[in-house]
Amino acid sequence: MELNLLPIERVKTISKKEFVQNFRKPQIPVVIENLIDDWPAKKKWDFDYIKEMVGQKTVPLYDDRPVDYNDGFNEPHAKMKMEDYIDLLQKEPTRYRIFLYNVLKEVPELQNDFNFPNIGLGLLKSLPMLFFGGEDSYTFMHYDIDLANILHFHFQGRKECILFPYAEKKHLYKVPHSLITHESIDFSKPDFEKWPALKNAKGFKTELEHGQTLYMPEGYWHYMRYITPGFSMSMRGLARNPSHLSKAFYNVFIMRNLDNIMRRLQGQKWIDSKNERAIKDTNARL
């Protein structure tokens, strides 16, 4: 048995009007294959170019170890020079990933290689972020703290993307007071005997290759697995749904601070209790 996943629709190109009417308003994901054909980045961005531009900078690395109460919010598990990290990616499989690497802040020269597509999302100009991963590395299933509309541009290699609408959280074993599902779930090969509610979840799936763009609607859950070493860049536009905006405000100003306080007060007991509640609450709805 497999997850109930529809293939994400693909288009070669799309007008702003078509995108807004067919995808943004109904909140449906889409892959746009040729959106960035006019970007210098489409021809230039590969590992060698990134090493040339960023190689001497020290970058934060993350892996797929379970959340520990000692870890701060988005605290890296290791650090390495970018050139050494890229060498590692190309040499052997590694779980180390880079995420939320601010392009304009860290390497402003790279902004000459891309523009912000006028596609009807009101993209925030200060927040293009880079993401890197090695062969078979992956992110936990999660949604973004601000429930933003996302354009995700992929470079080098291939990447598997599994998405679920925000409302499907009731089937996904969402961990309370967090942005993730239970970390023990392998969304590439889920165990339905252990996680029976996943049988009821309805989502989407696609693979991205160099130069392709994935639109992820507001608050969509996403699991990303690097089939081969590669990297991507995301741009974001604010959520438009009032309930999503209020949830984003809660996440940023209340939930994140509450979680940090409880980690300090209760330690690993807080983490373990949240994971237990994820299982108990989700299975209770079956």
Side-chain angles (χ1 to χ4, degrees):
M1 185 175 181
E2 296 183 350
L3 289 166
N4 187 0
L5 302 173
L6 294 174
I8 296 177
E9 184 175 345
R10 287 175 169 262
V11 299
K12 295 293 185 183
T13 60
I14 195 168
S15 69
K16 178 179 178 179
K17 181 178 180 181
E18 290 171 331
F19 175 78
V20 170
Q21 289 182 346
N22 298 335
F23 300 103
R24 196 204 75 194
K25 284 186 176 179
Q27 291 287 279
I28 297 172
V30 64
V31 173
I32 310 170
E33 295 184 344
N34 299 329
L35 182 64
I36 64 170
D37 279 2
D38 62 337
W39 285 14
K42 179 152 187 193
K43 294 181 179 179
K44 295 165 64 176
W45 282 22
D46 59 18
F47 283 144
D48 289 338
Y49 182 70
I50 296 298
K51 281 178 69 173
E52 177 185 340
M53 299 295 290
V54 194
Q56 292 302 307
K57 285 186 173 289
T58 299
V59 294
L61 302 175
Y62 304 82
D63 57 27
D64 55 5
R65 72 186 68 179
V67 172
D68 186 275
Y69 76 95
N70 288 310
D71 296 336
F73 193 84
N74 286 347
E75 182 177 334
H77 299 133
K79 294 182 179 180
M80 190 181 295
K81 281 190 175 181
M82 178 67 91
E83 61 181 6
D84 295 330
Y85 173 62
I86 290 177
D87 287 342
L88 177 62
L89 292 182
Q90 295 178 302
K91 178 183 178 183
E92 62 191 32
T94 175
R95 295 298 193 187
Y96 280 135
R97 295 176 291 105
I98 297 174
F99 78 103
L100 295 178
Y101 191 72
N102 191 311
V103 179
L104 299 187
K105 177 182 176 182
E106 301 293 341
V107 198
E109 299 88 348
L110 289 178
Q111 67 184 301
N112 298 322
D113 295 338
F114 62 86
N115 56 48
F116 293 83
N118 182 18
I119 202 168
L121 291 178
L123 296 168
L124 300 172
K125 299 297 177 67
S126 62
L127 291 174
M129 298 288 184
L130 287 175
F131 303 79
F132 292 73
E135 179 182 341
D136 208 36
S137 65
Y138 61 89
T139 65
F140 294 121
M141 181 67 75
H142 68 286
Y143 72 97
D144 286 2
I145 193 168
D146 57 354
L147 286 81
N149 288 281
I150 304 292
L151 287 180
H152 192 69
F153 314 92
H154 188 61
F155 301 93
Q156 186 120 14
R158 294 162 54 221
K159 191 178 200 179
E160 176 188 46
C161 308
I162 296 176
L163 310 182
F164 291 98
Y166 180 70
E168 292 295 297
K169 64 181 181 180
K170 59 184 178 291
H171 305 306
L172 298 178
Y173 296 90
K174 178 188 180 302
V175 177
H177 308 293
S178 75
L179 309 173
I180 63 174
T181 63
H182 199 289
E183 296 160 310
S184 298
I185 301 173
D186 180 354
F187 277 90
S188 285
K189 299 175 182 177
D191 181 343
F192 291 102
E193 291 188 6
K194 187 174 182 180
W195 313 104
L198 293 180
K199 292 183 288 187
N200 299 322
K202 296 180 180 180
F204 302 88
K205 182 178 181 179
T206 197
E207 288 186 9
L208 296 178
E209 297 185 354
H210 180 90
Q212 297 180 348
T213 304
L214 170 64
Y215 166 60
M216 293 188 289
E218 297 177 17
Y220 260 53
W221 293 88
H222 44 286
Y223 164 92
M224 304 289 194
R225 183 176 69 87
Y226 291 86
I227 300 171
T228 65
F231 64 101
S232 307
M233 181 173 71
S234 283
M235 295 178 183
R236 60 208 312 109
L238 292 176
R240 296 166 182 261
N241 183 318
S243 67
H244 291 169
L245 282 172
S246 63
K247 180 64 176 177
F249 180 89
Y250 171 80
N251 286 345
V252 173
F253 296 105
I254 300 175
M255 184 273 289
R256 180 166 57 179
N257 292 320
L258 171 63
D259 189 57
N260 284 333
I261 291 171
M262 294 304 294
R263 289 188 194 202
R264 290 196 295 269
L265 292 176
Q266 295 189 5
Q268 192 61 34
K269 180 181 177 181
W270 170 246
I271 303 296
D272 293 341
S273 68
K274 291 199 301 176
N275 286 326
E276 291 168 5
R277 280 186 55 194
I279 298 172
K280 180 179 179 181
D281 293 350
T282 304
N283 286 340
R285 300 188 189 98
L286 288 173

